[in-house]
Every structure is written in C-alpha cells, then in structure tokens.
Amino acid sequence: MAVQWQQALAVGQYIVTQRLKGRKRFPLVLMLEPLFRCNLACSGCGKIQHPPEILKRNLTPEECFAAAEECGAPVVSIPGGEPLLHPQIDEIVKGLCDRKKFVYLCTNALLLEKSLDKFQPSPYLTFSVHLDGLREQHDKCVDRKGVFDTAIRAIRAAKAKGFRVTTNTTVFEGADPQKMQEFFDFLETLGTDGMMISPGYSYEWAPDQEHFLVRERTKALFREILSPWKTGKKQWNFNHNPLFLDFLMGEKDYECTPWGSPSYSVLGWQKPCYLLNEGHYKTFKKLLEETNWENYGRASGNPKCADCMVHCGYEPTAAMDALKPENMGRAISSVFGS
C-alpha cells in the first residue's frame, strides 16, 4: 500500500468540509521548518545559506503546535535543515501525532538509526528519507561519500522496528532514465511504504543553478522514467496521488495551488511559497488574506512560476482533482496499491 487509507480518508474529509464551509483557499500540507541547520551542504538546497544567527535558531514545540493549529492542514511535513538536529524533535513529533496530524519527518538519515528510540511507531508518523539515486549518484548530490549506505542502513533499521518509511527523490536535469528506473527497482527491495518524486526547481538561494529542470524537459524526462510504471511493466510503489504523476508526464494540465502547502519557520509564514524568497508574515491569517494570489502560478505570468512543476504547488491541485467523480477510481488506486 502506498498512500495509507487513514491519511487519504482524512484528507478527503477535510477537503469536503472546507468546501462545505465555502472556503476558497485552504492548505493541505503544512511545511513546518523547525530549524535551518543541516549536517550536509547539498548543492541543490538553499536553506543553509541563511546567516549564522538564523541557523542557530529553533522553533519551540509550542510554536510548532500553534502553527499546526492555526493552519489546520491535516498533513505536516517537517523538512529543514535536518530536523533530527533539533533537540526537541521527538516532543514536536509526538505532539503533532497526538493532534492526529499525519507527520512526514524529512531526513537525510545520517542521524536516523541512532534516533529511532526517541520515537514510537504510529500510523501518523512517517520518516521520509532523502535519496536522489543509487550510491554514486546520491553521494554526488549530497557531496559526501558514504551517505547512501548510512541512509539504507537506517531505512532497514526503521522498518525492522515497525516505522513507516518513504523515500523522497528530486530529479534533476541530466538524470539518466535507465539509472532512475534501476534506483526505483532497488527501493522496492527495501519494503518501504512508498516513493515520492519531484522535479528540481531553480530557486534563488540554491547554490547549483545549472541542473534544475524546466517544464517541457520535465515532462519528457518523467515520461521516459515512468514509462514502465505507466504501461504496467513495473509496479513501483509511489506515495503519490497518481494524478500528480500524470501531471509530471504531461498528461494533466494543472495550475498551481500556491496556498496548498504553506511554510512556517523561525522567520514566520513565508510569502507565499517556500521556493521564493519574498519575506514573511507573522500569522497564517495575514498570509491568506494579504497575499495577492493572482500573482502566483503559471497562469499569473510570473516568470518565477513559469517552469515550476514542484509537488508543493501541484499535489494540492491533484488532490482537489481527485474528488471529481471521473477521477475517483484512479485516485483510489493509490490507496490500494493497484
């Protein structure tokens, strides 16, 4: 099973409730960044480019809980930085799970195996391990040898203790489709609870601007990578709504839902997308009410949005589309892994 049925049911009920209340804009996933520090310096990430005084700061558990309650999204993704560097990350995760939020703790897994005793297996907790390819490719992406092997050991240890584990892969310009397919085959041997994939998007603070994808190349590359899955030759277990994968392959033409995955960090609520560096609001209410949303997404003509196909903006769109009667069957297939 990929997308677990409890999460799919909770998200579906949440969307219906928001619509019945007449709300035009509402979040589906809170991107909660309790710190920006990391124990890696990946070339495709801009988070550690913050000044030292910002890198030293942590959100408190109380600030995290308040953000989750203020936002109201049923899913909370905890990226970073590296969340396992936070001294109270276990308290943050427990508090969110107690509030019945579906938590995805995103980690490079360097600290995961020795941190497992801090957590309890739960249908509300998933460790999302960053892996961008097989050993050589991944270690090159994170600019450190041995990270791939450490991550694989941690995944196996977490699964042995009964935790939900998914993988999270960014596909960059120049990716070899055959090697990506071999990578997916390998991930299937680990018995994880699904794979997540997204195209790399060029944003201002990322040091490496050369290897990000643009829209038409993204579609062509994902069509080639996913062709064995699309034709049924491979049964890769994706932790995605299949409509989002259709979008990546160019079979769906979606617009971004820029309010679907708001980001909260030590700096506040980011305006309006975590990939753009446009400042912050103090409250989620201000973010929703004071942002000129018409200025974002491909249809807006904003050049920063023209080539983006990243999950944070388009998976919420796919989730909304999944509730249309003609799409329900295909969307439900992701719950039952068919």
Side-chain angles (χ1 to χ4, degrees):
M1 183 179 292
V3 179
Q4 57 173 324
W5 68 266
Q6 297 104 316
Q7 179 182 326
L9 180 61
V11 171
Q13 290 177 333
Y14 169 81
I15 293 174
V16 171
T17 299
Q18 300 304 306
R19 285 181 166 172
L20 289 174
K21 290 180 178 179
R23 292 174 179 163
K24 181 180 178 182
R25 300 186 180 101
F26 49 88
L28 292 179
V29 179
L30 167 61
M31 308 282 284
L32 179 67
E33 299 176 289
L35 81 175
F36 291 135
R37 294 190 308 281
C38 193
N39 45 10
L40 288 175
C42 304
S43 59
C45 174
K47 298 300 181 182
I48 61 170
Q49 306 302 317
H50 287 285
E53 61 270 19
I54 299 298
L55 292 176
K56 292 177 182 177
R57 293 173 59 185
N58 299 328
L59 288 176
T60 66
E62 292 73 23
E63 289 172 322
C64 294
F65 305 149
E69 290 169 2
E70 183 184 5
C71 171
V75 180
V76 179
S77 175
I78 307 181
E82 170 52 54
L84 292 177
L85 290 173
H86 194 295
Q88 295 171 288
I89 190 61
D90 51 341
E91 185 179 341
I92 292 170
V93 167
K94 183 179 184 304
L96 292 171
C97 291
D98 287 347
R99 289 165 172 80
K100 299 192 184 306
K101 303 294 185 182
F102 291 91
V103 176
Y104 284 79
L105 193 155
C106 306
T107 176
N108 58 38
L110 289 178
L111 299 174
L112 179 57
E113 186 170 4
K114 70 178 184 180
S115 300
L116 290 174
D117 290 341
K118 296 180 179 180
F119 305 96
Q120 293 294 324
S122 165
Y124 291 100
L125 171 62
T126 301
F127 292 115
S128 178
V129 177
H130 170 218
L131 285 173
D132 281 346
L134 292 169
R135 181 182 291 107
E136 181 180 357
Q137 173 65 20
H138 182 67
D139 287 356
K140 179 181 178 182
C141 285
V142 301
D143 198 26
R144 187 186 300 180
K145 290 184 178 181
V147 175
F148 177 86
D149 290 335
T150 299
I152 297 307
R153 285 196 303 270
I155 289 171
R156 288 177 169 140
K159 288 302 301 175
K161 290 195 172 188
F163 288 98
R164 280 182 50 84
V165 181
T166 60
T167 56
N168 186 17
T169 300
T170 303
V171 180
F172 291 100
E173 176 73 66
D176 183 322
Q178 183 176 344
K179 288 184 178 179
M180 292 303 300
Q181 292 164 0
E182 292 170 0
F183 172 55
F184 293 161
D185 287 342
F186 171 76
L187 293 180
E188 288 291 307
T189 70
L190 299 177
T192 61
D193 299 278
M195 304 179 288
M196 293 182 283
I197 56 175
S198 186
Y201 168 75
S202 175
Y203 65 108
E204 184 179 350
W205 281 27
D208 180 1
Q209 294 291 316
E210 181 183 352
H211 293 100
F212 290 103
L213 288 162
V214 294
R215 183 169 287 261
E216 292 308 314
R217 291 205 300 275
T218 297
K219 294 176 185 177
L221 181 58
F222 275 91
R223 276 196 297 269
E224 192 169 357
I225 291 172
L226 295 176
S227 61
W229 172 80
K230 185 69 177 178
T231 58
K233 293 180 181 178
K234 296 287 186 179
Q235 300 296 319
W236 294 322
N237 186 26
F238 289 109
N239 191 52
H240 285 294
N241 179 336
L243 300 177
F244 173 68
L245 299 179
D246 290 345
F247 164 72
L248 291 180
M249 292 183 288
E251 297 177 6
K252 288 279 187 179
D253 187 19
Y254 287 147
E255 289 297 335
C256 177
T257 301
W259 55 85
S261 301
S263 174
Y264 182 74
S265 71
V266 296
L267 300 176
W269 294 94
Q270 186 148 357
K271 303 178 183 179
C273 167
Y274 87 101
L275 294 170
L276 302 179
N277 184 28
E278 298 186 352
H280 297 80
Y281 287 108
K282 287 187 177 181
T283 68
F284 180 67
K285 186 172 186 289
K286 281 181 175 282
L287 171 66
L288 273 190
E289 295 180 355
E290 298 184 15
T291 299
N292 187 349
W293 295 106
E294 288 71 24
N295 290 342
Y296 300 96
R298 185 178 50 143
S300 71
N302 186 334
K304 293 182 178 179
C305 303
D307 293 318
C308 179
M309 296 179 70
V310 177
H311 64 95
C312 62
Y314 288 96
E315 282 212 87
T317 310
M320 304 292 185
D321 198 31
L323 291 184
K324 294 179 180 177
E326 63 269 27
N327 292 328
M328 282 186 177
R330 181 151 172 75
I332 288 172
S333 71
S334 68
V335 177
F336 296 102
S338 59

